[in-house]
Amino acid sequence: MKAISTDNDIKIPEGVSLSFKARSVTVKGPRGTLKKDFKHINIEILRIDPTTIRVRVWHGGRKHIACIRTVCSHIENMVKGVTKGFEYKMRFVYAHFPINVNIGDDNKLVEIRNFLGEKVVRRVPMLEGVTVTQSKDQKDELVLIGNDIQNVSQSGEEKNWAQAAHE
């Protein structure tokens, strides 16, 4: 059954400016600017007052209505990214061959050496806006830091994929 109108509101904190045009959302904050395009989803984005944004779907079915929460979560993650940022911690675990990790290219590249005793050097470039450092507190731990949660998590997954044993 279709609902005539379904909506969800998003609160914008102080120090963050959010602008949108034609379902393209730009969030500016103290840590930088993030931009995301939602043109593939048929939604309406409205500004109710200076601190509230409303995301609305007209005549939506069950799955189309579910997109409202997805878009709201993306926008909330963008707001959180430009205010606090995101940090992923990853640890190297090994039993016999000690894995050596070098960080190069101005904290944008991870080189993995001696994985399972291999002589091949695995290089993993970080995505845009993501920097990687070695943890000072914990041995064999990498810290990925960035504003965009999707880029930070994808960079971590690419590092994890490069470290997987392939045929």
Side-chain angles (χ1 to χ4, degrees), residues 18-137:
L18 191 141
S19 61
F20 52 89
K21 183 175 181 182
R23 293 182 294 207
S24 181
V25 179
T26 304
V27 180
K28 295 179 183 174
R31 289 181 54 101
T33 302
L34 292 176
K35 185 173 183 176
K36 191 150 187 74
D37 191 22
F38 296 108
K39 292 186 180 181
H40 61 286
I41 303 173
N42 191 11
I43 57 171
E44 181 181 29
I45 303 174
L46 304 167
R47 184 178 300 276
I48 297 173
D49 57 55
T51 61
T52 307
I53 300 294
R54 178 169 287 163
V55 178
R56 178 180 288 160
V57 168
W58 291 94
H59 304 291
R62 184 175 62 91
K63 292 189 177 184
H64 194 193
I65 290 173
C67 292
I68 295 173
R69 185 69 191 138
T70 301
V71 170
C72 290
S73 295
H74 280 297
I75 294 173
E76 288 168 356
N77 282 337
M78 290 167 68
V79 169
K80 190 184 289 186
V82 297
T83 54
K84 298 178 184 177
F86 292 98
E87 177 180 284
Y88 275 38
K89 293 183 178 183
M90 303 186 76
R91 300 226 16 222
F92 288 101
V93 180
Y94 51 87
H96 184 268
F97 299 106
I99 300 171
N100 297 327
V101 177
N102 294 329
I103 298 173
D105 196 26
D106 199 28
N107 293 341
K108 299 285 184 189
L109 179 74
V110 176
E111 292 181 346
I112 304 169
R113 299 175 189 273
N114 200 30
F115 177 71
L116 295 178
E118 293 177 343
K119 299 296 181 190
V120 177
V121 177
R122 299 175 185 222
R123 290 177 176 81
V124 183
M126 297 294 113
L127 294 176
E128 179 184 352
V130 180
T131 59
V132 61
T133 57
Q134 285 188 330
S135 176
K136 308 244 186 300
D137 303 331

